[in-house]
Amino acid sequence: MNGRRRPSIADVARTAGVSVGTVSNVLNRPDTVAPPTRERVESAIAELSFVRNGSARQLRQGSISTVGAILLDIRNPFFTDVARGIEDRLAVDDLTLMLASSDDDPAREAKYLRLFEEHGVLGLLVVPTGRSVDHLLEIQRRGVAVVLLDAASAASGLSSVSVDDVTGGELAAAHLLEQGHQSIVFLNGPHEIRQCEARRVGVDRAVAAAGLEPDQVVDEVTLATLDASGADDALTRWLAAHDGSAPRAIFCVNDLVAIGVQRCLRRQGGTALLARTAIVGYDDIDVAGELALPLTSVRQPTHEMGHAAAELLLRQADSGEIDDVVFRPELVVRSSSLVT
Amino acid sequence: MNGRRRPSIADVARTAGVSVGTVSNVLNRPDTVAPPTRERVESAIAELSFVRNGSARQLRQGSISTVGAILLDIRNPFFTDVARGIEDRLAVDDLTLMLASSDDDPAREAKYLRLFEEHGVLGLLVVPTGRSVDHLLEIQRRGVAVVLLDAASAASGLSSVSVDDVTGGELAAAHLLEQGHQSIVFLNGPHEIRQCEARRVGVDRAVAAAGLEPDQVVDEVTLATLDASGADDALTRWLAAHDGSAPRAIFCVNDLVAIGVQRCLRRQGGTALLARTAIVGYDDIDVAGELALPLTSVRQPTHEMGHAAAELLLRQADSGEIDDVVFRPELVVRSSSLVT
DNA sequence: GTGAAAGCGCTAACAG
DNA sequence: CTGTTAGCGCTTTCAC
């Protein structure tokens, strides 16, 4: 819409009556330029409203002070909380964070990965969509620091920050078992997702520890989408398949799912049904304690995770040092899991 | 950590035994290259695991197929919902979205603005931190399409997508007045934020329409931070200043604030106090209907807003056409506002 | 169908 | 302190 091309450093030099080198100097090392000259350049910059071309700068300089993060779902508070932790750590070193959402689509993940890499980011924080991290290893091999978020690297050669999901599942199931429940419906995601599988392992461990048989106790339902409506739909189908007799204990792979469960149960059998169904969620999102039925949930230290992830990224970029940080989740008991 | 520099197109050319022009051709116009040559180049690319340098590409080409969005707060579901709408529209044209969070800090906004502009984004979607949009106009004047999100441009020369906040405030207040309330505490943000001021105007309009005097009816409290804990703190202070006698009707500038209010009231006076206080929120976030006291809220069509914003951005980039789209909010009545 | 070469805007090294 | 200049890696004419 504006035919004229952006003014370049050469234009600035011309109108200020200096050389491009001098302009570059006032841009990057102002103190090495004589004040009167500097002023002349600065007013030329203002006059032309010059903005330096980041691509050229970067092409010349090599890398950049930006790091990219690719989250699974920008709408999930868990991830945005982690993002805040990342930002806070990055700000300390005057680095900036660029966010993208893969929407759990490997193609989108790949697209953003390529975009970030092509633009020479310092590093990448990624919540992988799939189980394989080979493509991420490749990227790291090419010189971009990569840190896995919310996914253990299992000696893959990538730094990672995760929570111990086995323990998380174990905490949740043990709590339900302690309440006397002999059967648990587990609304889980597909086992291709590492955390989902791990939480199941934890559930089974708790069941075994209680002297019971996992196969007899746990009824795992695999959700297509890990959000409220996906859970609502899945549970609606479950109820239909079980002649409307509702489960007594439900463990949900995240709080959004638990909210969907509450929504479904309330619709199907009102508050009474809700009250006699023990529900445990995961993530302990902000509003978990404010729900109609305050939600018992497994809390993950999101902000710390983000902070640690950024820290690992910088370490990796700096010295090549690789590490895995595993946080321990904690069960926050509220009334949703306590039935009478 | 890896001393060797990234392989360039020249390296690929050398190992494939062709010229750089040919490599560029297989990258950009594969069909103009003879199949055997193309294969040779492709395997050289694979062998070297070549990734093209986006900066150089962009420097040469001019602009880019990326648009940036700068949101006020990445943790606010309202904004992330809008972001999803943006992404969905952008994906149609195979454009990618880069997200950043200004955290309501003008300095951070400026930082990201500059970063995006320097890197030659196609356009920018921004939720402005301040009231002035002069700096954004400047950017647009330099050839970057800019669309204001959640802020009317008021003939400023920028496209914008917003909701009619006056109507929003009016809907909320009118509802409360209809319930017979004669005084309303309005937990609002600072009036520097356009929407906050507009919602107040709407509140006053509703009060006047009911034949009452705004000054007598409305007690506006200005929040420092527009989230649950900010609201909790502010209301706690309000109660202390009023000898613990709680307000009967509270209008909250957003749902997070309303959640904070519920938290505070529940702590101060339990469910009973909560039950006799009429609360209206704003945004109708996903969980609003699932709160302990399901929240009456003013709903804004977030996804459509994002979609429209992206649409406007493309139009602006394409033809320079500027437009303002104003969405009408809608009141969703739930039990939080219905006292007995 | 392929190669050679110019140049995008910038920084940094070196001269003066 | 300031100017000159050589690339950074890529795309794109223009020849062949």
Side-chain angles (χ1 to χ4, degrees), chain B residues 3 18 31 37 39 50 176 185-186 210 233 252 262 269 289-291 310 312 315 340:
Chain B
V18 297
D31 27 296
T37 319
E39 270 165 35
F50 162 79
L176 254 12
V185 170
F186 182 16
D233 295 351
C252 303
Q262 291 191 344
E290 307 290 335
L291 294 174
L312 285 178
R315 207 129 63 187
T340 40

Short mmCIF file of all heavy atoms in Angstrom, two decimals, chain B residues 3 18 31 37 39 50 176 185-186 210 233 252 262 269 289-291 310 312 315 340:
data_model
loop_
_atom_site.label_atom_id
_atom_site.label_comp_id
_atom_site.label_asym_id
_atom_site.label_seq_id
_atom_site.Cartn_x
_atom_site.Cartn_y
_atom_site.Cartn_z
N GLY B 3 30.96 -25.65 16.76
CA GLY B 3 31.78 -24.65 16.08
C GLY B 3 31.45 -24.47 14.61
O GLY B 3 31.50 -23.37 14.10
N VAL B 18 26.14 -28.65 -8.39
CA VAL B 18 25.37 -27.73 -9.23
C VAL B 18 25.65 -26.30 -8.75
O VAL B 18 26.50 -26.10 -7.89
CB VAL B 18 23.85 -28.00 -9.10
CG1 VAL B 18 23.49 -29.38 -9.61
CG2 VAL B 18 23.40 -27.81 -7.66
N ASP B 31 9.56 -27.63 -9.91
CA ASP B 31 9.14 -28.17 -11.21
C ASP B 31 9.96 -27.60 -12.37
O ASP B 31 9.88 -28.12 -13.49
CB ASP B 31 7.66 -27.89 -11.41
CG ASP B 31 7.21 -26.66 -10.64
OD1 ASP B 31 7.28 -26.74 -9.38
OD2 ASP B 31 6.85 -25.65 -11.25
N THR B 37 18.51 -33.86 -11.63
CA THR B 37 19.22 -32.79 -10.92
C THR B 37 18.56 -32.54 -9.57
O THR B 37 19.22 -32.42 -8.54
CB THR B 37 19.17 -31.48 -11.72
OG1 THR B 37 19.37 -31.77 -13.10
CG2 THR B 37 20.21 -30.51 -11.23
N GLU B 39 16.81 -34.48 -7.75
CA GLU B 39 17.10 -35.53 -6.78
C GLU B 39 18.48 -35.38 -6.17
O GLU B 39 18.67 -35.56 -4.98
CB GLU B 39 16.99 -36.90 -7.45
CG GLU B 39 15.60 -37.48 -7.37
CD GLU B 39 15.43 -38.63 -8.33
OE1 GLU B 39 16.42 -39.38 -8.53
OE2 GLU B 39 14.33 -38.77 -8.90
N PHE B 50 20.48 -29.47 5.64
CA PHE B 50 20.45 -28.04 5.39
C PHE B 50 19.11 -27.43 5.77
O PHE B 50 18.05 -28.00 5.49
CB PHE B 50 20.72 -27.81 3.89
CG PHE B 50 20.31 -26.46 3.39
CD1 PHE B 50 21.11 -25.35 3.63
CD2 PHE B 50 19.13 -26.30 2.69
CE1 PHE B 50 20.72 -24.10 3.16
CE2 PHE B 50 18.74 -25.06 2.22
CZ PHE B 50 19.53 -23.95 2.45
N LEU B 176 -28.69 -5.83 37.17
CA LEU B 176 -28.61 -5.69 38.63
C LEU B 176 -29.72 -4.78 39.15
O LEU B 176 -30.36 -5.06 40.18
CB LEU B 176 -27.24 -5.09 38.99
CG LEU B 176 -26.12 -5.96 39.61
CD1 LEU B 176 -26.37 -7.45 39.56
CD2 LEU B 176 -24.77 -5.61 39.00
N VAL B 185 -21.46 -1.93 43.63
CA VAL B 185 -20.01 -1.75 43.67
C VAL B 185 -19.47 -2.22 42.33
O VAL B 185 -19.78 -3.32 41.87
CB VAL B 185 -19.37 -2.55 44.81
CG1 VAL B 185 -17.85 -2.53 44.69
CG2 VAL B 185 -19.78 -1.98 46.16
N PHE B 186 -18.69 -1.37 41.70
CA PHE B 186 -18.14 -1.70 40.38
C PHE B 186 -16.63 -1.84 40.51
O PHE B 186 -15.91 -0.86 40.69
CB PHE B 186 -18.52 -0.59 39.39
CG PHE B 186 -18.05 -0.83 37.97
CD1 PHE B 186 -17.62 -2.09 37.53
CD2 PHE B 186 -18.06 0.21 37.05
CE1 PHE B 186 -17.21 -2.30 36.23
CE2 PHE B 186 -17.64 0.01 35.74
CZ PHE B 186 -17.21 -1.24 35.33
N ALA B 210 -32.87 4.12 34.65
CA ALA B 210 -33.76 3.63 35.70
C ALA B 210 -34.24 4.79 36.57
O ALA B 210 -34.91 4.58 37.59
CB ALA B 210 -33.03 2.60 36.56
N ASP B 233 -7.87 -8.81 47.04
CA ASP B 233 -7.24 -7.79 47.87
C ASP B 233 -8.10 -6.53 47.98
O ASP B 233 -8.34 -6.01 49.07
CB ASP B 233 -5.87 -7.40 47.29
CG ASP B 233 -4.89 -8.56 47.33
OD1 ASP B 233 -5.22 -9.59 47.96
OD2 ASP B 233 -3.81 -8.44 46.74
N CYS B 252 -18.19 -6.85 38.08
CA CYS B 252 -16.75 -7.04 37.95
C CYS B 252 -16.32 -6.84 36.50
O CYS B 252 -16.98 -7.34 35.58
CB CYS B 252 -16.35 -8.43 38.39
SG CYS B 252 -16.84 -8.78 40.08
N GLN B 262 -15.66 -13.81 44.56
CA GLN B 262 -16.29 -14.98 45.19
C GLN B 262 -15.37 -15.58 46.25
O GLN B 262 -15.81 -15.93 47.34
CB GLN B 262 -16.63 -16.04 44.13
CG GLN B 262 -17.75 -15.61 43.19
CD GLN B 262 -18.26 -16.75 42.33
OE1 GLN B 262 -17.63 -17.79 42.21
NE2 GLN B 262 -19.44 -16.55 41.73
N GLY B 269 -17.43 -14.55 54.64
CA GLY B 269 -18.75 -14.84 55.20
C GLY B 269 -19.37 -16.13 54.72
O GLY B 269 -20.58 -16.33 54.87
N GLY B 289 -19.66 -20.94 33.93
CA GLY B 289 -20.85 -21.71 34.27
C GLY B 289 -20.59 -22.83 35.25
O GLY B 289 -21.52 -23.48 35.71
N GLU B 290 -19.33 -23.05 35.56
CA GLU B 290 -18.97 -24.18 36.42
C GLU B 290 -18.50 -23.76 37.80
O GLU B 290 -18.10 -24.58 38.61
CB GLU B 290 -17.83 -24.98 35.76
CG GLU B 290 -18.10 -25.42 34.35
CD GLU B 290 -19.18 -26.48 34.27
OE1 GLU B 290 -19.38 -27.20 35.26
OE2 GLU B 290 -19.83 -26.57 33.22
N LEU B 291 -18.55 -22.47 38.07
CA LEU B 291 -18.10 -21.99 39.37
C LEU B 291 -19.04 -22.45 40.48
O LEU B 291 -20.18 -22.82 40.22
CB LEU B 291 -18.01 -20.47 39.36
CG LEU B 291 -16.95 -19.88 38.44
CD1 LEU B 291 -17.04 -18.38 38.40
CD2 LEU B 291 -15.57 -20.33 38.87
N ALA B 310 -8.17 -10.85 12.06
CA ALA B 310 -7.25 -11.37 11.05
C ALA B 310 -7.72 -10.96 9.65
O ALA B 310 -6.93 -10.57 8.79
CB ALA B 310 -7.15 -12.88 11.17
N LEU B 312 -9.45 -8.33 8.85
CA LEU B 312 -9.17 -6.91 8.66
C LEU B 312 -7.69 -6.68 8.36
O LEU B 312 -7.33 -5.83 7.54
CB LEU B 312 -9.54 -6.11 9.91
CG LEU B 312 -11.03 -5.88 10.14
CD1 LEU B 312 -11.24 -5.12 11.45
CD2 LEU B 312 -11.63 -5.11 8.98
N ARG B 315 -6.97 -7.52 4.84
CA ARG B 315 -7.56 -6.53 3.96
C ARG B 315 -6.68 -5.28 3.94
O ARG B 315 -6.41 -4.69 2.89
CB ARG B 315 -8.95 -6.18 4.46
CG ARG B 315 -9.86 -5.72 3.37
CD ARG B 315 -11.16 -6.48 3.39
NE ARG B 315 -11.89 -6.23 4.63
CZ ARG B 315 -13.00 -6.87 4.96
NH1 ARG B 315 -13.49 -7.79 4.16
NH2 ARG B 315 -13.61 -6.60 6.09
N THR B 340 -32.00 -13.88 46.71
CA THR B 340 -33.40 -14.09 47.14
C THR B 340 -33.91 -13.02 48.08
O THR B 340 -33.17 -12.32 48.72
CB THR B 340 -33.53 -15.47 47.82
OG1 THR B 340 -32.37 -15.67 48.65
CG2 THR B 340 -33.59 -16.56 46.78
#
